[in-house]
Amino acid sequence: MLALVVLVVEAAAAFTRLGAVGFAWLTGGSIVLLAPVVLLSYRSWSRVGADGITICWGLGRGRTYPWHEIRWIDVRESKGQSSSSYAVRMFLESGRRRSLPGLYRSDAHPAPDFDEQFQRVVNWWELSTDPAARVRPSKQFRDRLTPAVLGLALVFVPVAVVAAVVLVVLAPH
């Protein structure tokens, strides 16, 4: 609701500043840029069946990952300043990870059946694989890379580079 109010206020400000023609161009450009993203998001899905997990990110028929290639399934929690989001992901024998589109929960996307859907995926996986083939992957650097850490890195790395350049330029030759 708040986003809609902000959007209406911005549209009114754009109309008064840009006029009808400028507003029409801004609106049309926004629709052209956002429509493909919304369409891809709407068409993204995951399916679970006897042959494995099929995921599609909006284009084509998707790709099926057979059960014997899937080593682990879990939920990744990403914490922001005042919110958290949860996404189901699978770990493949190649070491790659894949998030399952459509199996996601956050404050903006509550998904009341998230836990049931996650359990459904896990049940299929457990029924379709040998327990010895289920191997929890070790934590990697990117598992520790939270939005807060990334934000700090994006601030401090450029500052350090600028400081080093200034020191080199100001150093006596």
Side-chain angles (χ1 to χ4, degrees), residues 50-152:
D51 53 341
I53 298 176
T54 304
I55 62 175
C56 177
W57 287 102
L59 297 172
R61 291 186 286 186
R63 176 167 180 209
T64 300
Y65 295 90
W67 291 117
H68 69 272
E69 291 181 13
I70 300 170
R71 294 291 175 248
W72 196 256
I73 297 174
D74 69 7
V75 174
R76 178 173 186 188
E77 177 183 14
S78 299
K79 291 185 178 185
Q81 283 183 316
S82 61
S83 65
S84 295
S85 63
Y86 305 88
V88 176
R89 63 185 178 170
M90 63 180 168
F91 295 80
L92 304 172
E93 67 182 350
S94 66
R96 299 186 137 233
R97 305 156 185 237
R98 295 286 181 261
S99 291
L100 304 184
L103 293 176
Y104 175 81
R105 179 177 67 197
S106 69
D107 293 338
H109 184 262
D113 63 342
F114 175 82
D115 294 326
E116 294 168 20
Q117 294 296 326
F118 170 64
Q119 192 58 51
R120 182 174 164 248
V121 172
V122 170
N123 290 345
W124 269 99
W125 175 59
E126 288 177 345
L127 288 171
S128 304
T129 59
D130 181 32
R134 299 181 209 138
V135 179
R136 179 185 291 259
S138 59
K139 288 217 177 229
Q140 295 181 350
F141 174 72
R142 65 182 172 186
D143 293 324
R144 294 178 195 76
L145 196 61
T146 64
V149 171
L150 185 60
L152 288 172

Side-chain angles (χ1 to χ4, degrees), residues 34-59:
L34 292 176
V37 173
V38 171
L39 182 62
L40 287 176
S41 175
Y42 179 73
R43 289 188 35 83
S44 296
W45 49 266
S46 302
R47 290 200 182 116
V48 180
D51 53 341
I53 298 176
T54 304
I55 62 175
C56 177
W57 287 102
L59 297 172

